[in-house]
Every structure is written in structure tokens, then in C-alpha cells.
């Protein structure tokens, strides 16, 4: 079976993808999805000499794929080409890319020492040093690590969760595990209120998206195979859906595994679901917890990868079920962070330029806080608009009447 | 009566295909002055409508030893003198389960006696070399086949000949001969674009008009029997094979898959046609089906690959005694009409192959030089063509893709296309990476008069979109570099699409259909292109149709 769906000949050269590419708009050095994707692929088949180093400027946001009327997996083509041809030069930036992308390795090293690590990475001197040495832009704050991982906390919950008759499996991802265990706790609170228990996979590794974005495809593929194995075990044993609270993890498990990493996930693919899609369906089928009215205004930002999955509508409708909540849906635009991309010194400026429109929209809306499904969008929005940004599940958890 | 322009030269060559342009170069290198005429562009005849296979000779080894020997000899020479027109890919002759594996030995022996190197491969070895070859093959033989770009070959011949004093007149058709008694002394011609008449006087006239050679002989009241055999091919959107793939059996329909630059070609069918039909070739649905079905046996991926277009050419076979189009020898036929028919000043060089065009030129020029008393030896087998003088991997800065692609196409002469200004660097054809600089060079230096010629020199419009995105940009460059008015350049645009359309029509399904729809929508729906033809010349100063 040809898992890698990078066939590019459906492309009719309409150039709509390039019009929608946030990077092409902000950075004239980036040739854009049409030229980097289908056009470039055709030339790369003729000779690998036509591989363009500028492809690393792609943020893998997949807005090109959402836009393409011919169903060309433009972003996948670019990601696969990078995996095949990108040369890794041994320099401090490689060290940085390694640190930024190996989220679970550095997460497990940092969580036990979280207060210390957070202090260090936040100190202005260290920020300047990181800027000068490993090219992590000094304007950025590295994500904070939590003191103690989500998995550790869950151990004590496992028994209670087993009591529920209905169960789901939860792929928590690195962010929940190391940076924001509270989101995981919130999820359990919401699902428990709906009489659903939460299982974790026996083991999981980072979904691999930062590895793909930084060109460590082999490591990403290993993670993918590892995760697919454990998800398959879970499905075979318990036949539960597998939920994710990260829009990016969800897209990666479902689409990037077969399309970019050539890892077969067909056995579990239909079981994978994004949390808001699962919740809204439950709500609509009558399983809705009682929610306290909130008299607040929020702005909702659609993460690129949720846009690509076509699931943004579920989050929006879910938010609308919360009584008293005024939901302002922002125009769907990339925030510019794009995972690890915006942390890099060489990308910082472009990243800001891409996000500018979004930050403006947010400032004008005068909301109480922002909602988004993606962790890196959250950092980017908080850093650039001073507006507290939370996950829809966290908001739901806050609305539960105890 | 209007005064008719006259040209005088030692040799008049009729036909700007591979044969004619090779003769032009050979004459020029020997110091013989010559004029070459073609009724269209160079390489617009059969030379531009073939498979582009740089034969090793293996295909003919079993049936026609002499052709095989000619091929391998020219194969080696061309790799040296025309390296920028050639991809030294190697070729596979594969045996499928339904083929007779014993034929392999017959084939290998025949190759050996023609002097063609072969290497027997296991199925697995063949698959390692060419992952897209039919995986059910049971054996393969590797031979020194390659690909030969006919457009580049002709353009380089002309470039070299012109730098040695030769003259090219395209869109110039010979209509009749001027003779005194039993001697031809010149030809009456017409410029097919301006309808202007002119005459060329020469000591020797060479008929290198390929399949049209019969007509040319007819103008001299001579009879030559030609056997027109049509062959059709399909062009695929991208390269699906890196090695030429053949079937190891007696030659048949659709059994060669040739990679060429950014595409692959499957061919050919073979069908005898009436001589009167050689200018109106049609490709039938049946042929398209045969090509897809048989081609799929060489490389199954072909069945899922988008087809860009179809085209057909006519093999210029001279009937020297019966047989169908494919069993007849592809031998070279050089006719000294003085000896054969008692008509001095006239010779014909017919038959042969793209592969053997240099050799055909050498034979013809030897004959003519002898008649003219020129004793200079042929040197076309020794001197590399412009473009192949320094090796393709020269030091030119190739970080920019247009530069890389131009070097791929023009060899070291590509430096002339590297216009570093913002405009010069801009990309016009995104599929094939053609820059404004390259187009300026082609219009000014390579005898380009319209978009179709431009395609032959640069690959503009040969990519996936078949000119949808690039031609309207390119047509305006004819105003900048080619003295066209806005009206004329719009006409060029329409002419180009008419020509492309012919090739797309036979394969109007799937993605090719979607692309054609989109093109139609853009040019007709958005630009109102068909109105261009309704506008008269007089309106040409109005600016609303200056696209
Ligand atoms: C389908 C097919 C596949 C082939 N594949 C291969 C292959 O893979 N490898 C290979 O080596 N060979 C191949 N051949 C053979 C090869 O293409 C021809 O042998 C070769 O191109 C002939 O070149 P030419 O210059 O003799 O003729 P042409 O290219 O036909 O040139 C004759 C020129 O004369 C001009 N002309 C005609 N009448 C007049 C006139 N009255 N006044 C002025 N000009 C005139 C025409 O416009 C034309 O440009 C193939 C042929 C066909 C049909
Ligand atoms: S994935 Fe995003 S950044 Fe990359 S080409 Fe597509 S739209 Fe542009
Ligand atoms: S949007 Fe799709 S069809 Fe249009 S140019 Fe981009 S990849 Fe091709
Ligand atoms: S995308 Fe998901 S699994 Fe991957 S690093 Fe982020 S949170 Fe971890």
C-alpha cells in the first residue's frame, strides 16, 4: 500500500495555496506552497539538486492544504521532501533544534526540577545567552515546565477512573504531561461529570510533530510506530475512542503518521478523535453536564491544524453551549508561532509579521480572555496580546457546577 | 512587378530537422557557405515529434545489425559532442513472464556482434536500479541507451553553424526549383509568415526534408517512394522512470518508456498512413488505450500517472522494397541525383534516425564537398557543440533554480541567460523554471519568433500546466524583446493555445481535463481570449486587449 499520499499531479496550478500561505505573505524568501510543493516535487524527481533549503521556512501549518481545491497534500509533500533532503549542519542551531524538538526527553528531565528550570530559562541574562549561542530568540519565553508530570499525578487517579462504566483513552501529549497537567486534570473532571472514565495509554511518546518540523524524521517515525502500537493495544483491549486535547497531536496521529511518516495507522484511525468533536457529539446526544452561566466575552482563535482537520466548528459550537458566554470567532489566521518555529531567532521576525493581523484582531475585540485548542498558539497570543488564553476544556471545567 | 529578394550561397539545405541542421553545421565547419530553410521552425518536423531515445542500437541488434552498429557508434560520439542534449541514463530490456526468456541470449549475442555492451541483471537488480519497473519481471539486460533532446541538438547545431558563417531562414518554404537544363541552380521560396517571395541560388541543393522529401523530389520531377508510418506517443506529467525501459523481445507497439528532462514518454504505435495525410495526423482513442495498456506493463505506475498530452510523428522511411512500417530498415538513404537521375546540383538525404543525423550529415557533406572541390575533413564527430564545450557540471552559480534549469538546457552557453536584474531573474514558467533572462536570450539569439518556437528552445509551457500560467507572461515579453505589438503578442498567445490544445484533445480525461477546464476558464472566462481573433488589426492601438 502506498501510504504516503504525496501525489502532486492533481495540482492544476491555480496558486490558491500560495495566496493562503502565511509565510509566503510575510517572507519574500519563501517560494510558497505551489513552488515548494507540487512544482518543486516534480523537479526534485528529475534531480535532487532542485531541493531548496528555503523549504525549512515552511511552518507546516497546512493552511495551503485547507485552501487547495484539488485536494493536494501540499504541506505533506513539503514535509516529506524536507525529511528526505534536508541537510543537518552541525552547529549550535542543531543543538537548539534538538532541544526544542525532543519535547518528551527534555520534559522528563525538567519536570522534577521545574521551579529551577523555569527560573533559569526566564532570566534575562540566560535569554540573551540563548539568543547569542543557540539562536533561541530573546523575545521568547521558553514554555514553563510543571512541577511533576501529569502521568505521575494520574497514577493515583487510575483506580477511581476504572469505576466508570464507559471509558475513553486519552493521548495527553508532551504539553499536558510536562507543561500543563492542569488541562489533563480539567479533562478528567469534565468527562467524569459526564460519567465517563479516562484511561491513559500504557505508554506514549511525543506525537513527533516537533521532530518532523525540525527535520528529525527518523526519530519521529520511531515515535509514531511506538504510539501506534500502544494505541492499537488499547483499541484491541478496550475498544475505546482515543481522545486528544491538542489540535496538533490529533492531526499528527491521524494524518501525519500515514502521509508524512509512512506509518500505517489504519487499524486505529477511526478511533482517533479530537476532544471537542467528541464532547459536542455527547452533548447533542443528551449527555451534557450542568454548566453554570458565565457572563464573559471570549475571542476564539482557530489553530491551523484544527482548521486543516475541519474540526474548528466543533469547538465553536461547544463554546456556544456554555450559557452566558459571548463567543467572538476571530478570522482564521495563523498566529505565527507554528510550534517550535517562532522560537528560532531566524524566524522570530517573520513569525511576528504573520501573527500581526491576529494580534490586532484580538486587541480590538476587548475580550475577557482568549480560547484556543493549541498550546503554542496559547503561548504566542499570551506573549503578544497580554490576554490570558485557555483551552476550551479548561473553560468547561470552570463552568461545571460542583 | 515587385523585386524578389535573392540569396546566393554554395549550398542550400532544405529542412531544419536534425538532419538538415547537422548538415548546416558540417558545411560551416568545413568552410562551405550555406543557407538552411525550413517551412516552419527548426525541429518542427519529425525531429520534434519523436521519442528522444538515444539508441544504443540494442533495439535493432537482432533484426538489423547495420543500424545497430551505426547507433552504437553515434551513441558514443553524441555523448561526447552533445553532452548537454543527452542524459546518460542507461536502458533496460526487460523480460516479463509472458515473454520468452531464451530470447535474452539471442539478444545479448546480437548486441555483442554489433559492439554493444550488455549486462544481464536479475529481476531484483533491475528493480534496485529502476524501482518503477514492472516488479513481475523475470530478468533484464542493461544497455547503454540514453535520452537525446532533439530541440537542443538542432538549436546547438544552428548556433555553431551560424558562428561559422551559415545562415538560417525559418518559416521559409521551398515551392519550386530553378533549373537550367539538367542542373538545379536554386529554389523559389516564400516566407510563410509574411507571404513574401524570395529566391535562393546555390551550387548544390540538399533535400533534407524528411518525410516531405518526396514532395521536394517532386518539384524536381523526380520520384522517390516513401512509406509514411505514423507513430503516436503519450507524455506523462513527471518523470516516472530514470532508465529507459524496453521489452526484451521483437519490437512491438508501445514498448519503450523514455524519461526526458522532467517528463516520461511512452511510445510508440505504428500505423501505415496515406502520404496525403502526413500533415494532418490524428491520434485515435484506440492508440491512446494501447499506449496506456502496453506501457503499464513496463511500469505499472504509468496507469495512475497524469497524461499531459499526446503527439504523433511520421517515420521518414524510404521504400526500398516492401514490408510494413516497422520491418523496413531505418537505413540511411543518400541519393546523388546526378548519378541516379542525371540531375546535377541536387541530392537527397532521407531515412535514418535522430540518432544518426550527424552521420547522415557527414555522408552528405562528404559528397557535396567533393563536388565543390573542398577537401576539408569532417570534424563534427570531434568538436563538441556549443553547450557541451565545458562539462555540464561547470562552476556556474546554480543556487537559483532558473539558473540551474537553464544550465541543464543550454550547457555553458546558459551564462547568456543569467540576467541578474530583478526583471531578468523573475520566473516566467514555474513548471520548468524559465526566467525572463532565458526568454530574452532565446528571442534575441536563438531565432525564436513565437511562443511555440520558444517552447522548443526553453521548455516553456512543457510542464504540468501546459502553458496555462506562463504563456501570458511570456507573450508580453515578445513586445519587450521581439518588436511585437500588444495585438501581435495576443495573437501569439492564441496560436500557442491552439497548438497545445491539439495535443491535449486526445487525452481529455482525468486531471488533464480539469487542467484544460481551468485554462479555458482563465483565458476565455477571465480574459475573453476568443475576442482577440475578432479584433481587427486596425484596433491594435486600443489598450484594453493588451493582456
Ligand atoms: C514516432 C517516432 C519516434 C521516433 N523515435 C526516434 C528515437 O527515439 N530515436 C531516434 O533516433 N529516431 C527516432 N525517430 C526517427 C527520427 O525522428 C527521424 O528519423 C528524424 O527526426 C528525421 O529528421 P529529419 O531532419 O530527417 O526530418 P524532419 O525532422 O522531418 O525535418 C524535415 C524538415 O523539412 C521541413 N520541410 C518540409 N518541406 C519543406 C519545404 N517545402 N520547404 C522548407 N522546409 C520543408 C519540415 O518543416 C521539417 O522541419 C522516430 C520517429 C518517429 C516518427
Ligand atoms: S504548510 Fe503553511 S507555511 Fe507551509 S507552505 Fe503550507 S501554508 Fe505555507
Ligand atoms: S491550491 Fe492546490 S491545485 Fe492550486 S496550485 Fe496549490 S496545490 Fe495546486
Ligand atoms: S505536538 Fe503533542 S505530543 Fe507533540 S510535542 Fe506537542 S504536545 Fe507533545
Amino acid at each position: 500500500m502506498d501510504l504516503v499520499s504525496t501525489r502532486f499531479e492533481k495540482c492544476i496550478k491555480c496558486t490558491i495555496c500560495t495566496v493562503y500561505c502565511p509565510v509566503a505573505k510575510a517572507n519574500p524568501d519563501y517560494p510558497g506552497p505551489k513552488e515548494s510543493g507540487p512544482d518543486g516535487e516534480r523537479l526534485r524527481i528529475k534531480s535532487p539538486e532542485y531541493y531548496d533549503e528555503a523549504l525549512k521556512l515552511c511552518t507546516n501549518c497546512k493552511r495551503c492544504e485547507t485552501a487547495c481545491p484539488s485536494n493536494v497534500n501540499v504541506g505533506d509533500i513539503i514535509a516529506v521532501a524536507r525529511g528526505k533532503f534536508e541537510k543537518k549542519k552541525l552547529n549550535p542551531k542543531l543543538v537548539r533544534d534538538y532541544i526544542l524538538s525532543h519535547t518528551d526527553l527534555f520534559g522528563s528531565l525538567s519536570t522534577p526540577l521545574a521551579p529551577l528550570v523555569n527560573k533559569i530559562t526566564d532570566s534575562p541574562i540566560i535569554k540573551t545567552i540563548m539568543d547569542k549561542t543557540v539562536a533561541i530568540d530573546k523575545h521568547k519565553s521558553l514554555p514553563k515546565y510543571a512541577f511533576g508530570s501529569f502521568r505521575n499525578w494520574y497514577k493515583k487517579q487510575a483506580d477511581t477512573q476504572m469505576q466508570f462504566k464507559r471509558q475513553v483513552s486519552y493521548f495527553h501529549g508532551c504539553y499536558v504531561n510536562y507543561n500543563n497537567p492542569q488541562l489533563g486534570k480539567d479533562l478528567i473532571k469534565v468527562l467524569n461529570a459526564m460519567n465517563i472514565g479516562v484511561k491513559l495509554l500504557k505508554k506514549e511518546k511525543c506525537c513527533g510533530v516537533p521532530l518532523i518540523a525540525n527535520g528529525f524524521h527518523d526519530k519521529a517515525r520511531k515515535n509514531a510506530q511506538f504510539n501506534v502500537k500502544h494505541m492499537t493495544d488499547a483499541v484491541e483491549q478496550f475498544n475505546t475512542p482515543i481522545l486528544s486535547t491538542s489540535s496538533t497531536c490529533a492531526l499528527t496521529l491521524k494524518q501525519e503518521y500515514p502521509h508524512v511518516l509512512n506509518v500505517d495507522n489504519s487499524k486505529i484511525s477511526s478511533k482517533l478523535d479530537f476532544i471537542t468533536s467528541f464532547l459536542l457529539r455527547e452533548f447533542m446526544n443528551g449527555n451534557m453536564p450542568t454548566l453554570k452561566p458565565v457572563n464573559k466575552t471570549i475571542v476564539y482563535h482557530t489553530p491551523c491544524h484544527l482548521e486543516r482537520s475541519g474540526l474548528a466548528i466543533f469547538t465553536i459550537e461547544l463554546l456556544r453551549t456554555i450559557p452566558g458566554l459571548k463567543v467572538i470567532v476571530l478570522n482564521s489566521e495563523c498566529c505565527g508561532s507554528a510550534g517550535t518555529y517562532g522560537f528560532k531567532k531566524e524566524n522570530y521576525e517573520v513569525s511576528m509579521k504573520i501573527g500581526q493581523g491576529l494580534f490586532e484582531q484580538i486587541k480590538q475585540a476587548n475580550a475577557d480572555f482568549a480560547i484556543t485548542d493549541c498550546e503554542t498558539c496559547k503561548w504566542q497570543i499570551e506573549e503578544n496580546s497580554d490576554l490570558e488564553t485557555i483551552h476550551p476544556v479548561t473553560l468547561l471545567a470552570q463552568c461545571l457546577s460542583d | 512587378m515587385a523585386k524578389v529578394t535573392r540569396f546566393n550561397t554554395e549550398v542550400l539545405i532544405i529542412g531544419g530537422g536534425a538532419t538538415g541542421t547537422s548538415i548546416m553545421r558540417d558545411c560551416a565547419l568545413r568552410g562551405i557557405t550555406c543557407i538552411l530553410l525550413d517551412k516552419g521552425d527548426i525541429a518542427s518536423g519529425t525531429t520534434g515529434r519523436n521519442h528522444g531515445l538515444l539508441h544504443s542500437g540494442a533495439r535493432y541488434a537482432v533484426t538489423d545489425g547495420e543500424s545497430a552498429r551505426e547507433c552504437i557508434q553515434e551513441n558514443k560520439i553524441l555523448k561526447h559532442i552533445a553532452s548537454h542534449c543527452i542524459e546518460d541514463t542507461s536502458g533496460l530490456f526487460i523480460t516479463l513472464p509472458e515473454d520468452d526468456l531464451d530470447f535474452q541470449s539471442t539478444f545479448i549475442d546480437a548486441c555483442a556482434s554489433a559492439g554493444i555492451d550488455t549486462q544481464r541483471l536479475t529481476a531484483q537488480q533491475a528493480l534496485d536500479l529502476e524501482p518503477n519497473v514492472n516488479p513481475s519481471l523475470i530478468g533484464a539486460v542493461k544497455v547503454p541507451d540514453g535520452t537525446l533532446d532533439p530541440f537542443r541538438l538542432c538549436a546547438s547545431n544552428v548556433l555553431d553553424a551560424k558562428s561559422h558563417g551559415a545562415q538560417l531562414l525559418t518559416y521559409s518554404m521551398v515551392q519550386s526549383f530553378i533549373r537550367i537544363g539538367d542542373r538545379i541552380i536554386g529554389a523559389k521560396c516564400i516566407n510563410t509568415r509574411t507571404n513574401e517571395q524570395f529566391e535562393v541560388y546555390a551550387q548544390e541543393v540538399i533535400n533534407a526534408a524528411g518525410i516531405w522529401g518526396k514532395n521536394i523530389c517532386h518539384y524536381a520531377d523526380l520520384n522517390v517512394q516513401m512509406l509514411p508510418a505514423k507513430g503516436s506517443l503519450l507524455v506523462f506529467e513527471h518523470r516516472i522512470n530514470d532508465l529507459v525501459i524496453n521489452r526484451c523481445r521483437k519490437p512491438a507497439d508501445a514498448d519503450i518508456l523514455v524519461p526526458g528532462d522532467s517528463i516520461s514518454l511512452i511510445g510508440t504505435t505504428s500505423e501505415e498512413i496515406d502520404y496525403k495525410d502526413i500533415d494532418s495526423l490524428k491520434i485515435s482513442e484506440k492508440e491512446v488505450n494501447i499506449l496506456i495498456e502496453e506501457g503499464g506493463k513496463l511500469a505499472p505506475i504509468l496507469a495512475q500517472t497524469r497524461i499531459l498530452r499526446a503527439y504523433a510523428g511520421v517515420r521518414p522511411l524510404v521504400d526500398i522494397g516492401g514490408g510494413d512500417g516497422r520491418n523496413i530498415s531505418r537505413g540511411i538513404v543518400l541519393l546523388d541525383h546526378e548519378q541516379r537521375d542525371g540531375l546535377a546540383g541536387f541530392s537527397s538525404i532521407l531515412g535514418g534516425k535522430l540518432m544518426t543525423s550527424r552521420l547522415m550529415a557527414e555522408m552528405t557533406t562528404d559528397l557535396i564537398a567533393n563536388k565543390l572541390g573542398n577537401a576539408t575533413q569532417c570534424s563534427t564527430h570531434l568538436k563538441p557543440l556549443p553547450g557541451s564545450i565545458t562539462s555540464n557540471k561547470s562552476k556556474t552559480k546554480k543556487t537559483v533554480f532558473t539558473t540551474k534549469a537553464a544550465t541543464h538546457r543550454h550547457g555553458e552557453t546558459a551564462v547568456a541567460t543569467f540576467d541578474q536584474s530583478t526583471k531578468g531573474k523573475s520566473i516566467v514558467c514555474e513548471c520548468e523554471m524559465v526566467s525572463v533572462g532565458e526568454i530574452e536570450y532565446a528571442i534575441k539569439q536563438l531565432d525564436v519568433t513565437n511562443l511555440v518556437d520558444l517552447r522548443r528552445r526553453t521548455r516553456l509551457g512543457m510542464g504540468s500546466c501546459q502553458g496555462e500560467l506562463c504563456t501570458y507572461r511570456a507573450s508580453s515579453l515578445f513586445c519587450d524583446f521581439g518588436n511585437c505589438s500588444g495585438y501581435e503578442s495576443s495573437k501569439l498567445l492564441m496560436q500557442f493555445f491552439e497548438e497545445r490544445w491539439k495535443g491535449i484533445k486526445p487525452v481529455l480525461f482525468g486531471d488533464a481535463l480539469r487542467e484544460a477546464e481551468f485554462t479555458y476558464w482563465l483565458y476565455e472566462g477571465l480574459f475573453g481570449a476568443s475576442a482577440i481573433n475578432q479584433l481587427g488589426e486596425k484596433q491594435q492601438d486600443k489598450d484594453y486587449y493588451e493582456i
Side-chain angles (χ1 to χ4, degrees), chain B residues 220-377:
Chain B
D221 298 323
L222 301 176
N223 196 18
V224 175
Q225 274 311 315
M226 297 207 70
L227 208 149
K230 181 186 77 167
S232 303
L233 300 103
L234 300 179
V235 188
F236 292 93
E237 196 250 5
H238 56 94
R239 234 176 133 105
I240 50 183
N241 52 326
D242 275 323
L243 275 71
V244 174
I245 310 178
N246 292 267
R247 285 284 278 278
C248 193
R249 61 171 192 198
K250 265 184 73 186
D253 271 354
D255 61 352
I256 320 180
L257 184 63
V258 183
D261 207 286
S262 47
I263 52 108
S264 284
L265 288 169
I266 184 73
T268 73
T269 55
S270 186
E271 186 190 329
E272 256 183 77
I273 57 168
D274 258 12
Y275 192 77
K276 66 174 173 19
D277 294 331
I278 61 168
D279 286 314
S280 53
L281 302 178
K282 292 212 172 53
I283 298 154
S284 67
E285 194 182 325
K286 189 171 142 224
E287 283 177 293
V288 173
N289 289 339
I290 290 176
L291 288 165
I292 297 175
E293 190 177 323
E294 289 297 313
K297 294 180 187 162
L298 299 173
I301 192 174
L302 179 151
Q304 300 142 44
T305 308
R306 167 163 164 195
I307 302 167
L308 280 187
R309 57 193 281 105
Y311 64 89
V314 184
R315 290 189 177 78
L317 306 180
V318 186
D319 189 1
I320 42 173
D324 73 9
R326 207 180 279 106
N327 289 325
I328 199 167
S329 164
R330 276 145 178 80
I332 300 167
V333 180
L334 174 61
L335 303 175
D336 175 352
H337 294 293
E338 184 171 12
Q339 244 185 25
R340 180 182 183 256
D341 312 292
L343 181 64
F346 186 48
S347 347
S348 292
I349 175 76
L350 303 167
K353 278 179 284 291
L354 173 63
M355 255 329 275
T356 54
S357 53
R358 192 215 58 84
L359 176 64
M360 291 161 77
E362 178 176 343
M363 291 162 63
T364 314
T365 316
D366 280 350
L367 175 77
I368 298 300
N370 190 25
K371 291 181 190 250
L372 295 172
N374 178 311
T376 315
Q377 292 291 306

Side-chain angles (χ1 to χ4, degrees), chain A residues 103 171-176 205-210 246 248-249 252 375:
Chain A
T103 42
F171 183 93
H172 50 67
C174 305
Y175 169 69
V176 164
K205 286 192 175 171
C206 167
C207 66
V209 98
S246 157
T248 292
C249 296
T252 307
E375 49 280 7

Side-chain angles (χ1 to χ4, degrees), chain B residues 111 138 249 273 281 471 510 532:
Chain B
C111 284
I138 53 175
R249 61 171 192 198
I273 57 168
L281 302 178
T471 36
I532 291 169

